[in-house]
Amino acid sequence: MPTWPPSLPPSPEITGYAESPPNVMIASQMDAGPEKRRKRFTAGVRPFHARLLIKRADVQTLDDFYMTTLAGGTLTFDWTHPRTGAAATCAFKGQPKYTPKGYNAWYVDFDYEVRP
């Protein structure tokens, strides 16, 4: 299993970080009255939004990791859960977005999920 590149920041910036609990519920519309809700899964994926502040050279490192190591984001990778510090199996949910902050600093924003 590929692991998060050690030259990149080990966890996201606090600004821009977001985490949600897994959505394990399903709702069914009834003919009358309120919808019926039940648990659909025993475990679900936990969605995240992350922002990293990296150096110009690290943009290429992350791009190579995403495009080559993870086959364009199709494979999972091992990383550390940013809040708990526990080992986690993660997957990108779309492409990273690179935005310059200054000459040698770039923001990288991306969505990913922690899988059960």
Side-chain angles (χ1 to χ4, degrees):
M1 168 98 62
T3 59
W4 184 254
S7 63
L8 296 176
S11 60
E13 297 277 312
I14 294 298
T15 358
Y17 171 79
E19 173 184 355
S20 300
N23 182 4
V24 295
M25 179 197 69
I26 185 169
S28 302
Q29 204 59 38
M30 300 289 105
D31 290 338
E35 64 186 16
K36 179 180 177 183
R37 296 179 178 187
R38 65 181 172 84
K39 196 170 183 178
R40 186 177 193 175
F41 308 109
T42 56
V45 297
R46 184 172 285 265
F48 289 82
H49 179 79
R51 170 175 266 195
L52 303 176
L53 179 59
I54 60 177
K55 295 178 183 172
R56 177 184 290 255
D58 291 332
V59 171
Q60 190 62 50
T61 301
L62 182 56
D63 203 60
D64 289 343
F65 178 66
Y66 179 83
M67 292 303 299
T68 304
T69 307
L70 299 181
T74 61
L75 303 176
T76 59
F77 60 98
D78 288 334
W79 200 15
T80 303
H81 189 293
R83 181 176 46 81
T84 66
T89 300
C90 303
F92 278 95
K93 291 196 54 142
Q95 303 86 353
K97 181 181 176 184
Y98 309 110
T99 309
K101 179 183 186 273
Y103 173 72
N104 195 31
W106 288 71
Y107 284 119
V108 180
D109 290 282
F110 57 93
D111 294 317
Y112 71 103
E113 61 190 18
V114 170
R115 297 193 172 172

